Amino acid sequence: MPSDQDDIDFDEEWYLRTYPDVADAVRAGNIGSGLLHYLAHGRDEGRRPRAGFDAAWYAKAYPAVAGEVGSDAADALERHYRERGRYRGYLPYPQASRPRNAAEIASPFGGLWIDAANALDVIEGRRALGLINPEDAELLARFVAEGYVILPNAVPAVLLDRVENVVEAAFHGDMSTLLFECHAIAGGHVNWQPAILDQPAKALDLHWFSDAVRDAIFSSEILRFLHLIFERPVLASQTLTFYRGSQQPIHQDSAYVPYTLPLQFAATWIALEDVAEGVGELEYFVDSHRQLPEFLYNGMHKNVHEAQRSGAGDLVTEEVQQHLEAIQREAKERNLARQRFLARRGDVLVWHADLAHGGSPTASPRTRKSLVTHYCPSEVAPLFFENGQAVLKRHISGSFYTSHAYV
């Protein structure tokens, strides 16, 4: 990689928006980033690394800026343009070109309202109108910026006790029809075997059998936040229950959990016990939902299912590994922070469909009992519905749930 990259004041987002041909090349995987393109080609082609900026004109042209910045310093005004102004269609200088839709969602696969470029302005506007309280506004802004939020002690202890009893029964073989994934035993779905208790394994859709699990995944604190980002009722399409750490490589759910709207979903991870270091704790790259380039299966699809449906076949298996390697490579290139979630019992992590996350290596025989759920807005359909055997059930909370494994 060229050694002078750190000396360049480069604006990746501006560069990709300004030069759509480069953005297309990055999406297609032909080049890793706008910065790499600029260093290899763009500089010699006369392309600019960032927008020019006329601070005095900017402050005069947009009266709202003065109250928001609280300073007439040029660097503060330019920072405002980069963080907020450009997503409003503000120009950095009088002759600049205005994008067609400055507030658009970056991904061609869409997303939720929080994925719009001006989402922070929308959050602040809702807070100012009294539609959300300051605490909700802070949570939403954090979700937009980092791709996840932590809801401390969000599931009541009495409910956790009930769920933990169900999990113990499931992993000790007391639920004869429950299916598992355990690659140490076999591929695909398997019935309970004694080795399930000691290997990285997932109990599939335990919520289909248990009132307690359903009450937990639809607990009030979880639903409160999901309603904020979905703005309509919730459908739980899948649960994965763990007794030990998954040790799953860092991945993006959007590749493996397909919906009719590929990025209109979110996930939660409920800690059923305190999590210590070395037990395969959940880890993730902060802001990876916005920073990582789009990985396309078979050159056009957001997820494995759609690529297979289009006849990509064996190519998809190779691309899965390429995707996992690309996440690590691109996260390192962008210097994304890697964090681990040392949860307390009852804590909940909510994450974005595209947040890169996984299970860290296990160095301890201790358990890491936890419950993962994928949710979408109630009218969005998981693609397994298209096999014609979909069943929807309604929870007392007004939310909906379904299952792929048992229908």
Side-chain angles (χ1 to χ4, degrees):
M1 185 177 294
S3 60
D4 59 347
Q5 64 174 313
D6 293 333
D7 299 327
I8 298 173
D9 184 6
F10 187 82
D11 187 337
E12 178 81 14
E13 186 171 351
W14 178 87
Y15 193 79
L16 295 181
R17 283 176 179 262
T18 304
Y19 303 115
D21 59 320
V22 180
D24 290 342
V26 171
R27 278 195 293 268
N30 297 328
I31 195 163
S33 67
L35 175 58
L36 290 178
H37 178 275
Y38 176 77
L39 293 171
H41 309 289
R43 182 163 44 189
D44 294 337
E45 294 169 355
R47 304 198 198 215
R48 300 173 62 176
R50 54 183 282 273
F53 191 73
D54 184 335
W57 177 85
Y58 185 79
K60 186 176 181 180
Y62 307 115
V65 171
E68 293 171 351
V69 174
S71 169
D72 59 1
D75 59 343
L77 291 166
E78 184 168 2
R79 185 165 57 251
H80 181 278
Y81 166 73
R82 289 196 182 196
E83 295 177 355
R84 293 291 185 98
R86 62 179 167 187
Y87 306 127
R88 301 170 179 175
Y90 292 4
L91 300 180
Y93 56 94
Q95 297 79 29
S97 298
R98 197 184 320 276
R100 291 179 180 176
N101 179 10
E104 68 181 349
I105 293 174
S107 173
F109 296 95
L112 297 163
W113 71 267
I114 52 168
D115 298 307
N118 67 340
L120 293 177
D121 278 339
V122 175
I123 292 167
E124 178 55 27
R126 292 177 179 178
R127 185 207 59 78
L129 292 172
L131 300 176
I132 58 175
N133 61 40
E135 292 76 19
D136 289 339
E138 183 180 349
L139 276 178
L140 287 168
R142 193 176 309 145
F143 195 77
V144 168
E146 298 182 349
Y148 71 95
V149 294
I150 296 171
L151 307 177
N153 198 28
V155 181
V158 63
L159 182 51
L160 292 171
D161 291 342
R162 292 171 55 206
V163 173
E164 197 167 2
N165 288 337
V166 176
V167 172
E168 288 289 341
F171 278 86
H172 284 83
D174 296 340
M175 301 174 68
S176 61
T177 57
L178 184 67
L179 297 173
F180 295 80
E181 281 186 7
C182 184
H183 296 301
I185 296 175
H189 298 173
V190 298
N191 293 109
W192 183 86
Q193 299 176 34
I196 290 284
L197 196 58
D198 299 315
Q199 299 291 337
K202 308 172 186 176
L204 302 177
D205 289 353
L206 191 57
H207 71 282
W208 198 246
F209 302 94
S210 168
D211 287 336
V213 172
R214 291 193 292 271
D215 290 345
I217 67 174
F218 293 131
S219 58
S220 60
E221 289 299 308
I222 291 174
L223 284 183
R224 177 177 175 78
F225 187 76
L226 292 176
H227 289 160
L228 288 172
I229 62 173
F230 290 166
E231 297 190 312
R232 55 256 213 224
V234 168
L235 164 63
S237 64
Q238 179 189 59
T239 55
L240 304 169
T241 306
F242 300 87
Y243 201 74
R244 303 189 184 278
S246 69
Q247 301 186 66
Q248 187 172 4
I250 290 185
H251 61 284
Q252 292 173 295
D253 283 344
S254 55
Y256 310 106
V257 188
Y259 296 88
T260 51
L261 294 173
L263 287 173
Q264 289 210 13
F265 73 98
T268 63
W269 190 94
I270 301 174
L272 302 178
E273 60 182 337
D274 292 351
V275 176
E277 289 188 31
V279 299
E281 57 270 32
L282 193 68
E283 59 181 356
Y284 40 86
F285 286 118
V286 178
D287 198 19
S288 53
H289 67 304
R290 298 190 303 177
Q291 297 295 332
L292 294 181
E294 202 103 56
F295 189 92
L296 299 180
Y297 285 88
N298 199 24
M300 65 184 76
H301 301 294
K302 183 67 175 171
N303 58 67
V304 168
H305 176 92
E306 288 288 71
Q308 290 174 328
R309 196 168 71 91
S310 69
D314 293 340
L315 174 64
V316 174
T317 302
E318 299 175 9
E319 288 184 326
V320 166
Q321 184 59 36
Q322 292 169 11
H323 189 182
L324 298 178
E325 293 170 357
I327 289 172
Q328 296 290 339
R329 182 178 64 251
E330 300 291 350
K332 182 177 181 181
E333 180 182 308
R334 288 160 174 75
N335 198 31
L336 299 184
R338 185 174 188 151
Q339 293 188 359
R340 291 185 174 178
F341 184 38
L342 295 177
R344 306 292 293 177
R345 188 173 192 248
D347 289 351
V348 176
L349 186 84
V350 188
W351 70 87
H352 187 280
D354 250 356
L355 184 77
H357 66 285
S360 57
T362 299
S364 167
R366 290 181 56 179
T367 59
R368 192 215 66 177
K369 288 176 276 191
S370 55
L371 176 61
V372 168
T373 310
H374 293 105
Y375 309 83
C376 62
S378 58
E379 83 285 356
V380 175
L383 294 193
F384 64 77
F385 278 11
E386 293 172 357
N387 65 15
Q389 297 177 318
V391 174
L392 275 180
K393 295 187 178 183
R394 189 170 188 132
H395 184 255
I396 191 172
S397 65
S399 304
F400 298 87
Y401 62 97
T402 187
S403 171
H404 181 217
Y406 308 103
V407 178

